[in-house]
Structure formats: structure tokens, C-alpha cells
Amino acid sequence: MSLDLTEQEIAEADRIARAIGWKWQRVSTADVQSELYLWLAEHHRYVVAWREEGSLGLNKLKVSLRRAANKFCRREFDVMKPMKPQHEYSPEACAALL
């Protein structure tokens, strides 16, 4: 299956990835960009349908890409939380385990 995405759709995904990826410190902008490309591929039929709606369809695409990017960033942020001190082992506990 060939994906016939326009330059405008790809540029919009890049712009949204940079804007949202910049706000999340623990998430790489390149990861967000890859996730949005994947979203465009998985939801290609919506993109094609929205393309026929003109500016209204472009707005729908922007909203959907922002939601997908924020959802991805929230998921990644929750996974990569720093360890809290109560979960760390003290040097004495490490020595006793070894």
C-alpha cells in the first residue's frame, strides 16, 4: 500500500513534534516525530478523508496529531520517571546483598 501523504501533512507532523517534544524534558523530539509518522501511516484513511474537507480537515489533522503526540509523551514520561529515594538501596544494604 502506497502512502500518498502531502508535503504539508508531513511538515505539520514535524512542526507539532518539535513544538510538543520541546515541552517534555524526558522525551526525545525524534521519538515524537517517529510516533507521528507512525500515526499518519496507521490512520491514513482519515487523513485522505480530511484532505477533501480543505482547511477544516487540516484543522482535524492538527488536533489529532497534537493529541497523539501528547498521549505518546505522557506515556513515555510516566515510564521514564526518576527513582524516588525510598526505592533506592543504601550502601549497607547493597553490601549485605552481595
Side-chain angles (χ1 to χ4, degrees):
M1 178 176 94
S2 171
L3 297 179
D4 55 343
L5 298 171
T6 64
E7 291 293 324
Q8 183 181 15
E9 293 162 350
I10 293 172
E12 198 61 44
D14 290 340
R15 187 188 65 77
I16 290 172
R18 282 192 309 272
I20 292 180
W22 178 77
K23 293 178 184 178
W24 295 85
Q25 294 177 353
R26 295 186 205 153
V27 181
S28 169
T29 303
D31 290 342
V32 178
Q33 188 177 25
S34 298
E35 180 68 20
L36 291 184
Y37 288 161
L38 184 62
W39 188 93
L40 285 171
E42 289 175 349
H43 298 88
H44 184 255
R45 60 189 168 113
Y46 294 118
V47 175
V48 171
W50 293 338
R51 194 180 297 156
E52 298 172 2
E53 297 179 12
S55 64
L56 179 63
L58 183 61
N59 289 339
K60 289 180 181 179
L61 177 65
K62 289 178 184 179
V63 168
S64 297
L65 288 174
R66 272 192 227 108
R67 284 181 182 163
N70 279 320
K71 186 176 177 180
F72 172 75
C73 289
R74 171 51 65 189
R75 219 174 31 240
E76 288 294 308
F77 186 81
D78 288 344
V79 168
M80 297 188 318
K81 285 185 179 176
M83 288 181 46
K84 294 182 180 178
Q86 71 260 23
H87 297 298
E88 294 178 0
Y89 288 109
S90 66
E92 294 81 20
C94 290
L97 287 172
L98 295 174

